[in-house]
Amino acid sequence: MSILHTVNKSPFEKSSLDSCLKYAKGGSAVLLYEDGVYAALKGTNMEDKVKSAAQGIKFYVLGPDLKARGIADDRVIDGIAIVDYAGFVDLSVESDKVSAWV
Amino acid sequence: MEIEVNGKSFETDEEGYLVNLAEWEPGIAEVMAKEDDLELTSEHWEILNFLREYYEEYQIAPAVRVLTKAVGKKLGAEKGNSKYLYSLFPYGPGKQACRFAGLPKPTGCI
Amino acid sequence: MSEEMMEGEVVKKFMYINRRAPYGSIYALESLEVVLIGAAFDQDVSLAFVDDGVFELKKDQETAGIDMKNFSPTYRALEMYDVEKLYVSKESMDARGLTVDDLIVDVEVKTDAELADLFDDQDVIFSF
């Protein structure tokens, strides 16, 4: 896998996800964590943007951060994979490099 | 700081409040009360248990006036007044009782 | 503080505007603590939840996995502190796919235009 992009800011408050998606190339991966997990929520005004980006990029979201914020798994956009901390580590190790959009 | 209870030691902050709320056990209240020259009765325990339930539900140590009101609602007006609560906990039902019950210092208590 | 206030004769309207999600920064928790401390002064207090602030009230928060304190149950204690006026922005809720059924407390839903009027009507505004 090429680059793992990580986003930890709310897409409604900061432009981190927008920046990330501008530079994330097809075949790379995006991991949403901390307030970044709100981008994975269904039914928001960000959903279309995330869904269209997800056609070329694999999206992951950190489960413990979803749970902390009260977001049940069935509120997560279909196709986004929920991972735990070990999964986060695996993704980092599998990737050539990590780009953190803080 | 720390407090010795039944051969175990528990960490407390500089004001004597338990640092890790999950560690609380009844013996801690007994030892803290003894240090304040108090003997815990069932009336004390009624309030301490009430505080622990309150914290469990709302994740906050109530301010004295909120505690007074809430005790009145649950245990009756003869207990839901500051005279009664201060008679049990002379250093303040907020500060002293919360400390015995293993709660943090009430928000807003200086 | 004025003498009138000490005697409780002057009651001012305080509005706390909450704009941040709960765990990514300290704002939400700090605001809640300020509200609880301020409640001792018997003022006319309102809370508005706008932008990501609406996420503070999301039901079912479970924080054991991120090793932080879940302070969302404390919003349900506000009523006992005589803080009863809670407003959420309709536009902010819609943008985030939330409905009042998602929230841990009863709130009044207001449009941003209605909230603007409400803010206009206050004596003091704190923004977090």
Side-chain angles (χ1 to χ4, degrees):
Chain A
M1 198 191 290
S2 50
I3 297 184
L4 172 68
H5 300 274
T6 64
V7 176
N8 71 336
K9 299 295 189 295
S10 164
F12 306 105
E13 189 188 4
K14 297 266 169 64
S15 58
S16 307
L17 180 65
D18 284 329
S19 298
C20 167
L21 295 181
K22 256 192 309 199
Y23 299 106
K25 294 168 82 169
S28 63
V30 172
L31 176 93
L32 306 167
Y33 72 109
E34 293 176 359
D35 284 349
V37 304
Y38 291 122
L41 191 55
K42 265 182 198 164
T44 75
N45 63 6
M46 295 297 296
E47 184 176 8
D48 288 346
K49 178 179 278 180
V50 172
K51 274 183 170 165
S52 96
Q55 288 173 359
I57 299 166
K58 181 67 192 162
F59 274 75
Y60 300 88
V61 61
L62 194 60
D65 281 325
L66 284 174
K67 249 187 151 50
R69 290 160 180 78
I71 302 172
D73 293 358
D74 63 3
R75 298 284 288 267
V76 171
I77 295 171
D78 297 334
I80 298 184
I82 301 172
V83 296
D84 57 12
Y85 289 110
F88 189 164
V89 173
D90 289 343
L91 283 170
S92 310
V93 172
E94 287 163 14
S95 308
D96 294 331
K97 54 202 158 219
V98 175
S99 178
W101 301 87
V102 292
Chain B
M1 296 197 341
E2 50 186 42
I3 180 168
E4 289 284 336
V5 178
N6 302 328
K8 278 180 285 180
S9 101
F10 299 90
E11 196 187 345
T12 58
D13 67 14
E14 69 276 10
E15 294 179 286
Y17 292 82
L18 199 62
V19 170
N20 183 355
L21 313 187
E23 289 179 347
W24 186 86
E25 52 183 61
I28 291 177
E30 305 278 3
V31 170
M32 286 180 173
K34 196 161 276 172
E35 286 175 353
D36 286 1
D37 288 326
L38 272 183
E39 192 69 48
L40 294 182
T41 64
S42 59
E43 282 78 21
H44 290 97
W45 277 110
E46 188 176 45
I47 302 302
L48 296 182
N49 290 330
F50 179 87
L51 276 170
R52 291 194 59 79
E53 282 165 26
Y54 187 96
Y55 190 84
E56 181 62 33
E57 184 162 1
Y58 299 110
Q59 296 296 305
I60 186 184
V64 178
R65 77 193 162 81
V66 174
L67 170 66
T68 309
K69 208 158 61 172
V71 166
K73 216 181 250 177
K74 177 100 186 277
L75 305 173
E78 70 280 6
K79 291 178 177 171
N81 62 78
S82 42
K83 197 178 160 205
Y84 174 76
L85 293 172
Y86 271 92
S87 73
L88 292 176
F89 301 99
Y91 291 110
K95 285 188 201 176
Q96 195 178 28
C98 285
R99 187 161 50 82
F100 291 178
L103 272 52
K105 191 172 166 181
T107 304
C109 251
I110 303 151
Chain C
M1 189 182 298
S2 71
E3 206 175 314
E4 288 83 4
M5 241 174 109
M6 293 290 284
E7 290 168 9
E9 286 172 14
V10 172
V11 173
K12 290 192 175 182
K13 290 186 166 182
F14 283 75
M15 169 64 77
Y16 294 87
I17 304 176
N18 300 279
R19 298 182 43 246
R20 308 297 182 109
Y23 301 108
S25 69
I26 195 72
Y27 289 93
L29 178 58
E30 288 287 308
S31 172
L32 184 56
E33 298 214 322
V34 172
V35 168
L36 292 169
I37 293 166
F41 294 100
D42 288 329
Q43 301 294 307
D44 181 355
V45 176
S46 302
L47 269 59
F49 297 86
V50 308
D51 298 340
D52 276 356
V54 297
F55 285 134
E56 294 175 24
L57 302 179
K58 179 74 183 67
K59 266 183 196 162
D60 302 326
Q61 297 177 29
E62 283 175 43
T63 55
I66 61 167
D67 204 19
M68 290 175 80
K69 178 175 162 153
N70 173 10
F71 53 89
S72 65
T74 306
Y75 293 104
R76 292 193 289 106
L78 286 171
E79 199 180 352
M80 286 173 272
Y81 283 74
D82 299 318
V83 175
E84 289 163 341
K85 285 180 261 187
L86 307 182
Y87 305 101
V88 297
S89 152
K90 182 181 187 307
E91 286 87 339
S92 300
M93 294 279 282
D94 290 348
R96 288 159 185 77
L98 298 180
T99 67
V100 287
D101 289 338
D102 283 312
L103 306 184
I104 196 169
V105 282
D106 290 335
V107 296
E108 206 175 314
V109 181
K110 296 264 188 200
T111 65
D112 285 334
E114 288 169 335
L115 285 173
D117 288 341
L118 204 56
F119 296 162
D120 227 17
D121 190 39
Q122 305 293 316
D123 295 308
V124 184
I125 295 177
F126 292 109
S127 187
F128 288 87

